[in-house]
Structure formats: structure tokens, C-alpha cells
Amino acid sequence: MEADIDRILISDKELATRVKQMATEIAQAYAAPEGLVLVTILSGSIIFLADLIRQLPIKMKIGLITVSSYPGSSTESQGAKLLSDLNVDITGRDVLIIDDILDTGNTLRFVRAKLEEKNPRSVKTAVLLRKPSKAPKDVTADFVGFQIDDVFVIGYGLDFDDHYRNLPHIGVLKTEVYESAAS
Ligand code: XMP
């Protein structure tokens, strides 16, 4: 796996430090968090969620929603598609969407619209990574872990063709790996 990485972009220590800071920021933002539901977009956010919630000293529930935007060995967003709908009731609840990365913004826009149909009290978003170049102005994140350049990253939950999620750091995938998968 490590041989397929061009370079480590964010180390496991940097991830741990920043995720802890994000948990503090989130806890401070929810003064009365009794109704908080963390809606997690599967599968890329699983490790971020697991680390974040163990640093989050507030009462909350977890909801799961599965959306596909980069099917198979693609590194270009193919548009968001719902694979499985939310498994908890969010009516009247404060919702925090948890996503791994904000890139084109298609996924967050799609999920937010789906959730707003269910009449939550509020909807905010937390993303571990943000690629600044492509996301339109109307798609924003309230909590951002790291701003990164427009490179395809893997590890810490993020995949290429469903591999590399178990890398403990965020790495840049070698161009030849996805070029050879595409050919
Ligand atoms: P959009 O473009 O919808 O992207 O904002 C959000 C989803 O696309 C996936 N994504 C990536 N996955 N490395 C990945 O492993 C990347 O560099 C990358 N960029 C986007 C990811 O599933 C994310 O939730």
C-alpha cells in the first residue's frame, strides 16, 4: 500500500491533534446538544467519525447515510447517488453532517437537500479535508480539518477503488496507480 503513495500529506499525529481540536470547536458550537445527530456519509468518513466522537464530550446520536460519488476506480466525481437512506429520525434535531472531503461539493449539496426534507431543527457540516478549488460558493462547511491542494488523496478512511482506507495517514496517490487502473 505505502508503495502506491507519492507522499504523506498529513501524518497520523497531525490528524489526531486536529481532530481533537475540531471536537472542541464542535462541542462549543452546540450549547444545548441534547438533540444532536451526527449524520455520517459512508464509507469515507468512518475513521474520522470514530476518532472525532471519542473526543466529543456531548450527548449525541449517530445516523448513517451511504452516498456514492466516485464509483470504482474513478478519481473524477460522477455526481452523488443515494445508496442507502438515513437510518435515524432527525425531525426537530440539530444535525451535523460528517464527511471526509469537500471537493466538487456535489455530495454535500445532495445530502443536505435530502436531510432538509426530513425537517431537522438545523443542519451544519464538518469535513476533515477541503479542496478549495472546485466547491461552489453555496456549498460550505462549518468545521474544516485541513485545507488541501487539488490532489487525489487516500488513507484514514479515504479510498481508491475501495482500497487504502486503512492507511493511518493521508497520502497522495501516485498518478500511475490511477492511470493504470483507468487503462
Ligand atoms: P465531492 O466532489 O462530492 O466529493 O465534494 C466528496 C466525495 O468524493 C470523494 N472524494 C475523494 N475521495 N480522495 C478520495 O479518496 C479524494 O481526493 C477525493 N475527493 C473527493 C469522497 O468520497 C468524498 O466524500
Side-chain angles (χ1 to χ4, degrees), residues 6-161:
D6 185 52
R7 63 186 189 279
I8 294 177
L9 198 63
I10 309 171
S11 71
D12 52 352
K13 285 196 177 60
E14 290 169 313
L15 284 161
T17 303
R18 183 68 191 119
V19 169
K20 193 169 184 182
Q21 287 168 350
M22 288 183 82
T24 305
E25 291 165 19
I26 291 166
Q28 283 168 354
Y30 289 95
E34 277 67 34
L36 184 61
V37 182
L38 264 57
V39 171
T40 306
I41 305 178
L42 295 176
S43 302
S45 307
I46 50 173
I47 300 186
F48 176 38
L49 174 79
D51 284 351
L52 182 73
I53 58 173
R54 285 178 293 171
Q55 303 292 339
L56 206 52
I58 55 178
K59 201 172 169 191
M60 39 134 268
K61 288 186 178 179
I62 294 171
L64 304 173
I65 188 166
T66 312
V67 172
S68 166
S69 54
Y70 280 48
S73 55
S74 175
T75 57
E76 293 292 328
S77 176
Q78 310 292 308
K81 187 171 146 214
L82 185 69
L83 298 185
S84 74
D85 205 350
L86 186 62
N87 61 337
V88 296
D89 182 13
I90 56 166
T91 313
R93 303 273 175 168
D94 288 315
V95 168
L96 180 63
I97 303 174
I98 304 291
D99 201 8
D100 50 3
I101 184 164
L102 171 54
D103 187 1
T104 62
N106 289 335
T107 306
L108 273 184
R109 180 191 274 135
F110 176 82
V111 170
R112 179 183 269 274
K114 282 263 163 246
L115 299 183
E116 275 168 359
E117 287 169 9
K118 300 172 194 287
N119 300 315
R121 183 165 171 262
S122 68
V123 180
K124 288 184 191 266
T125 51
V127 296
L128 179 67
L129 308 173
R130 178 166 65 190
K131 290 184 189 177
S133 47
K134 289 187 230 152
K137 287 201 172 58
D138 65 306
V139 186
T140 54
D142 300 281
F143 305 95
V144 177
F146 300 88
Q147 194 86 30
I148 63 166
D149 291 337
D150 193 9
V151 285
F152 197 81
V153 288
I154 50 169
Y156 198 73
L158 289 133
D159 75 303
F160 173 69
D161 203 12

